[in-house]
Amino acid sequence: MRVYLVIMDETEEATRALRFASRRALKTGGAVHILALVPRQNFNAFGAVQATIEEEAKDRAEMVASSAAGSIFAESGKMPVISVRSGGAQEVIGDYLAERPEVAALVLGAAKDGGPGPLVAHFSAQAGGLPCPLFVIPGSLSDDEIDRLS
């Protein structure tokens, strides 16, 4: 089974990537894995305060991923696999790909305006060493164009 890995956050780029991946999975009999990232905190607070900050960030990431999963389930009847992990984005994604050889493609969305974003820039530069193809979905594509291309 083909598995399409999408990195989910609250950006429009992630939503575009998720649309492509879910449509592609539906057409190929595949599945979608959603990976929500909880970034490292750049400051250290007192123990209980730090734990609360980290828990709130994790809860937010889980909510975003669950909402996205619900949209996929409503359209396809298939529930995606959801993972929420803490740490640096490139490291967490690299570890996930190494642990999951069934991932057939890493699907990222590029911003409509400006630069491609840090994940697209990093993984595009490393594409030759990835264990799977990298799909970069342009932010300028409409829903109809994504549906047609997927």
Side-chain angles (χ1 to χ4, degrees):
M1 176 186 300
R2 292 183 179 165
V3 172
Y4 299 89
L5 175 62
V6 177
I7 311 309
M8 199 69 224
D9 58 21
E10 298 178 82
T11 63
E12 182 63 27
E13 299 92 84
T15 303
R16 315 293 317 138
L18 183 61
R19 183 175 187 93
F20 178 88
S22 64
R23 297 286 196 264
R24 191 78 194 124
L26 185 62
K27 291 179 181 177
T28 63
V32 175
H33 285 202
I34 296 174
L35 178 59
L37 303 173
V38 180
R40 290 188 184 116
Q41 302 301 316
N42 292 332
F43 62 94
N44 288 323
F46 294 104
V49 174
Q50 184 70 28
T52 300
I53 291 169
E54 290 173 357
E55 189 62 32
E56 288 175 356
K58 183 179 179 187
D59 289 346
R60 181 75 181 155
E62 287 175 350
M63 184 194 70
V64 169
S66 294
S67 175
S71 297
I72 291 174
F73 182 75
E75 291 181 18
S76 70
K78 290 178 131 181
M79 190 62 162
V81 173
I82 300 172
S83 295
V84 178
R85 297 197 181 178
S86 299
Q90 290 95 354
E91 180 182 336
V92 170
I93 295 166
D95 290 348
Y96 192 92
L97 291 172
E99 295 165 9
R100 309 265 183 171
E102 70 272 19
V103 173
L106 171 60
V107 183
L108 300 174
K112 186 175 186 176
D113 299 312
L119 290 180
V120 172
H122 173 79
F123 285 103
S124 294
Q126 305 299 320
L130 289 175
C132 63
L134 170 66
F135 293 171
V136 178
I137 311 307
S140 61
L141 294 178
S142 69
D143 287 350
D144 288 340
E145 290 170 320
I146 289 173
D147 294 350
R148 180 178 53 81
L149 292 170
S150 62

